[in-house]
């Protein structure tokens, strides 16, 4: 997504434009397990809180800013939501909350949705390091074995 000579700031703005078009301007048409996908409420510095969380490596995105490595995958999120049946999907629990994990077929990227009574909340999404990939593959295997 970043072109030669393009500044990191301009690339992040471009990632935000894609996020805005996919999730704000046009409500996502993604229905995952018969539930719509929603964003966290709130805007900070002119951008939705969900964008800041998706683009940051830490919870303190205002202090640490966004990471280009995460922003470049923002175009993948809506595609994965719309085509979630083609992803590896399983439920897990983190910090007392139930989530649905979606991983692309090549195990390069994960989208995490938090269950809510009538919808999913787009919680986070990030590229997978080798270590995280192994951890999630093991978690997926255990979840699917326990489901059978």
């Amino acid at each position: 997504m970043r072109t030669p000579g393009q500044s990191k700031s301009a690339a992040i703005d471009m990632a935000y434009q894609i996020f805005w078009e996919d999730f704000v301007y046009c409500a996502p048409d993604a229905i995952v397990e018969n539930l719509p996908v929603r964003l966290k409420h709130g805007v900070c510095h002119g951008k939705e809180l969900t964008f800041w969380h998706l683009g940051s490596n830490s919870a303190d995105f205002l202090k640490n800013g966004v990471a280009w490595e995460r922003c470049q995958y923002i175009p993948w999120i809506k595609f994965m939501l719309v085509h979630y049946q083609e992803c590896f999907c399983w439920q897990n629990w983190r910090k007392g909350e139930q989530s649905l994990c979606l991983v692309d077929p090549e195990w390069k990227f994960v989208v995490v949705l938090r269950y809510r009574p009538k919808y999913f909340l787009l919680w986070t999404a990030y590229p997978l390091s080798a270590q995280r990939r192994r951890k999630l593959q093991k978690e997926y295997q255990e979840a699917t074995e326990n489901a059978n």
Side-chain angles (χ1 to χ4, degrees):
M1 185 167 65
R2 190 170 169 191
T3 59
Q6 183 181 35
S7 72
K8 185 176 176 181
S9 175
I12 290 169
D13 286 344
M14 192 165 84
Y16 176 72
Q17 184 64 34
I18 291 167
F19 169 85
W20 187 82
E21 289 172 4
D22 284 352
F23 295 103
V24 180
Y25 179 71
C26 299
D29 53 358
I31 302 293
V32 176
E33 293 189 348
N34 298 317
L35 294 173
V37 177
R38 305 271 190 252
L39 303 179
K40 298 172 191 146
H41 292 290
V43 174
C44 184
H45 295 289
K47 294 177 174 60
E48 287 68 22
L49 290 175
T50 302
F51 173 78
W52 291 115
H53 189 76
L54 293 172
S56 177
N57 288 325
S58 75
D60 192 357
F61 55 81
L62 291 177
K63 179 181 175 189
N64 299 317
V66 294
W68 164 244
E69 297 75 25
R70 288 179 70 134
C71 285
Q72 68 184 343
Y73 285 93
I74 284 177
W76 289 35
I77 298 169
K78 184 175 181 181
F79 183 85
M80 286 178 62
L81 294 175
V82 171
H83 301 282
Y84 81 95
Q85 291 108 338
E86 299 171 31
C87 296
F88 292 97
C89 300
W90 72 98
Q91 296 178 17
N92 73 9
W93 288 84
R94 295 277 194 275
K95 298 181 182 179
E97 292 199 61
Q98 188 178 14
S99 299
L100 182 69
C101 296
L102 310 174
V103 177
D104 72 285
E106 296 180 13
W107 289 87
K108 291 183 177 184
F109 189 72
V110 63
V111 175
V112 180
L113 306 173
R114 285 280 168 91
Y115 281 97
R116 295 298 184 254
K118 295 183 181 182
Y119 60 93
F120 280 110
L121 191 61
L122 177 54
W123 195 253
T124 193
Y126 52 89
L128 296 174
S129 65
Q131 179 181 359
R132 179 64 76 161
R133 181 179 305 111
R134 285 189 299 275
K135 179 183 181 218
L136 291 181
Q137 286 172 329
K138 182 180 178 187
E139 186 177 286
Y140 170 78
Q141 184 177 12
E142 291 171 358
T144 54
E145 287 172 358
N146 292 335
N148 295 330

